[in-house]
Amino acid sequence: MQKNILIGVTGGIAAYKVVEVASLLKKSGANVKIIMTHNATEFVSPRTFQEITNNAVSVEMFGDTANFIHVEHIALADWADFMLIAPATANFLAKMAHGIADDLLSTTMLAFDKKILVCPAMNTKMFENTATQANLSTLKARGVKILEPAEGNLACGTVGKGRLPEPQEICAEIKKILSEEQILSGRKILVTAGGTVEPIDPVRYIGNRSSGRMGYEIAKAAVNAGAEVVLISGKSELEPPKNLKFIKVEAAIDMREAVLNEFDSVDAVIMSAAVADYRVKNVSAQKIKKSDENLTLELVKNPDILKELGSIKKNQVLIGFAAETQNILDYANKKLVEKNLDFIVANDVTAEGAGFGVPTNIATIIWRGGDVETFDKMSKADLAGKIIERVADLLSKDKKFFPLTSNH
């Protein structure tokens, strides 16, 4: 397992178990570094982890940073491919959920944008407390992986749920997550995201409410799955994911050109961008001044990029999106057929938790063969992972139009 794994150890009695976790990961070929909170050092000495990992252990926010060219918490976040928090105390879960960064570990966590596994361990009542459960729900909605604590005898003398899982179980979960990430190894994926903007004059434009979040999460999931990724994005305020080719466009005709330039070299296209259907026929070279009570703009139809791709595709997997406000399945199924898609992801943008600019989505996948998969509200990161899994399945098995599972 040639991965850089960063382990955050917080102040729980189960910290001693994490020594073996680090040892097992090291033996499997991973490069392991440790960040400890001050409270964690009350249970296990930093030198113990240093000897196990052969790497310096970080504790102090403003300690010796001789090993780092840049600020330590940023350098550690950039270095790691994967992050484990074990044991995760109730206090640290609250920090994660609310973005509090008041020590080295929490600050590094806030700068980390890759896969995270959290292993809560605490007294049963603390774990079951509504505040702790709410914090866990918040983290899950953001795509953080949670390994549920085990049941048994606790250090406080009670019996119940709250034990840190055994080191072998934690390592198996890490390997599972990392192996799942490579399902698109050797593949090239094109993702479109964001909304296109159609200029009226040098100041104004016609646009839509798309934030680009869904497409950016899909691109990130594809990168994590081992793919070479091209992300073509319209208007979005989001920071582009790392480790991919990023192409910024504005109008629909610009997106069409960028997509067609890449199309022949990719294995799959996931068109999640909200492309404007119309553009202004005569764009003013100067700012239009306010004069009459009414302003009439003549609009002309934009090229249908998805339909064009469907007509020229060869062996590419082609995925579309249908963001609708009514007759969701009917409109999505029509789009699926007309544009020659492998499957389409449909959602009602008026539903709570499924619209533009929110971190969650409620989606339905409709397959070309007529099968349907429905998903309850989940984070866009989790939905992106499910979409990538299905794309990978189509590519690896060469069974286009057949879903992994279906609900009729």
Side-chain angles (χ1 to χ4, degrees):
M1 182 167 53
Q2 300 295 321
K3 292 288 184 179
N4 293 334
I5 297 179
L6 185 60
I7 302 179
V9 185
T10 71
I13 185 65
Y16 77 91
K17 285 187 176 181
V18 185
V19 175
E20 186 175 355
V21 173
S23 177
L24 290 171
L25 291 173
K26 186 74 176 175
K27 290 175 182 177
S28 72
N31 192 11
V32 180
K33 290 185 179 181
I34 307 291
I35 301 177
M36 301 180 73
T37 64
H38 277 286
N39 287 344
T41 64
E42 296 292 328
F43 296 97
V44 179
S45 165
R47 183 168 295 278
T48 301
F49 281 113
Q50 182 174 317
E51 294 299 322
I52 291 293
T53 64
N54 295 323
N55 282 315
V57 175
S58 301
V59 179
E60 300 292 341
M61 181 67 187
F62 302 103
D64 180 12
T65 58
N67 295 321
F68 301 97
I69 298 174
H70 304 296
V71 179
E72 186 172 13
H73 65 279
I74 302 299
L76 285 167
D78 288 343
W79 171 84
D81 299 309
F82 184 90
M83 195 165 183
L84 167 70
I85 306 297
T89 61
N91 180 62
F92 196 77
L93 292 174
K95 286 185 181 183
M96 288 183 66
H98 296 281
I100 295 173
D102 61 357
D103 61 8
L104 181 59
L105 180 56
S106 57
T107 307
T108 305
M109 173 65 67
L110 207 58
F112 191 73
D113 60 357
K114 286 156 274 189
K115 292 287 186 180
I116 301 169
L117 175 64
V118 171
C119 300
M122 64 199 73
N123 170 269
T124 303
K125 290 181 179 179
M126 293 176 69
F127 179 73
E128 294 176 347
N129 187 282
T130 54
T132 301
Q133 290 302 309
N135 290 333
L136 287 169
S137 295
T138 296
L139 294 175
K140 288 177 183 177
R142 293 176 189 162
V144 175
K145 304 292 185 183
I146 308 293
L147 183 59
E148 291 286 316
E151 295 189 20
N153 294 315
L154 304 179
C156 57
T158 61
V159 178
K161 189 172 185 178
R163 288 174 56 88
L164 186 72
E166 293 306 309
Q168 294 81 358
E169 184 180 349
I170 294 173
C171 290
E173 186 68 16
I174 293 172
K175 291 176 182 178
K176 176 185 174 184
I177 294 171
L178 291 175
S179 65
E180 288 172 351
E181 291 179 348
Q182 301 306 307
I183 55 177
L184 285 179
S185 179
R187 299 292 190 174
K188 186 174 181 180
I189 308 297
L190 171 62
V191 181
T192 67
T196 61
V197 298
E198 308 301 328
I200 297 172
D201 60 24
V203 177
R204 305 175 182 90
Y205 62 84
I206 299 172
N208 57 64
R209 299 179 186 275
S210 174
S211 67
R213 189 184 299 272
M214 189 71 245
Y216 278 48
E217 290 292 352
I218 291 171
K220 187 187 298 184
V223 169
N224 290 337
E228 177 185 354
V229 179
V230 179
L231 174 59
I232 300 175
S233 176
K235 180 177 172 58
S236 177
E237 300 301 320
L238 299 174
E239 186 74 19
K242 298 176 182 178
N243 302 317
L244 51 69
K245 180 179 179 181
F246 182 72
I247 301 172
K248 187 74 171 178
V249 298
E250 289 195 353
I253 55 175
D254 301 325
M255 181 166 284
R256 174 184 178 272
E257 181 181 0
V259 168
L260 290 177
N261 284 341
E262 300 287 341
F263 186 62
D264 287 342
S265 67
V266 302
D267 298 294
V269 179
I270 305 172
M271 292 284 291
S272 66
V275 182
D277 294 323
Y278 295 89
R279 68 183 184 276
V280 176
K281 183 176 183 180
N282 298 306
V283 179
S284 176
Q286 304 297 328
K287 179 182 177 182
I288 299 172
K289 295 299 182 181
K290 182 168 59 177
S291 56
D292 298 333
E293 289 296 321
N294 299 310
L295 174 65
T296 300
L297 296 174
E298 184 178 356
L299 303 180
V300 294
K301 203 168 187 178
N302 269 325
D304 190 329
I305 305 172
L306 191 56
K307 187 172 183 179
E308 185 174 358
L309 296 181
S311 68
I312 64 173
K313 74 173 184 175
K314 298 173 184 176
N315 297 316
Q316 294 98 333
V317 167
L318 185 59
I319 312 303
F321 275 69
E324 304 289 351
T325 59
Q326 59 182 341
N327 302 326
I328 313 302
L329 296 184
D330 289 342
Y331 287 150
N333 195 62
K334 182 180 179 182
K335 187 174 182 179
L336 170 80
V337 174
E338 288 181 349
K339 303 188 181 186
N340 193 26
L341 307 179
D342 292 272
F343 67 78
I344 190 166
V345 183
N347 69 314
D348 180 352
V349 294
T350 66
E352 183 179 355
F356 295 121
V358 297
T360 56
N361 211 339
I362 304 169
T364 299
I365 289 180
I366 305 172
W367 295 80
R368 182 168 178 139
D371 292 312
V372 175
E373 290 183 273
T374 58
F375 300 99
D376 295 329
K377 184 167 72 173
M378 65 179 67
S379 70
K380 287 181 177 176
D382 281 346
L383 179 59
K386 293 184 181 298
I387 291 169
I388 289 301
E389 287 174 3
R390 282 142 183 79
V391 170
D393 188 67
L394 290 174
L395 289 170
S396 64
K397 297 181 180 179
D398 196 27
K399 292 182 179 179
K400 294 183 181 180
F401 318 141
F402 290 89
L404 298 175
T405 59
S406 62
N407 299 322
H408 300 279

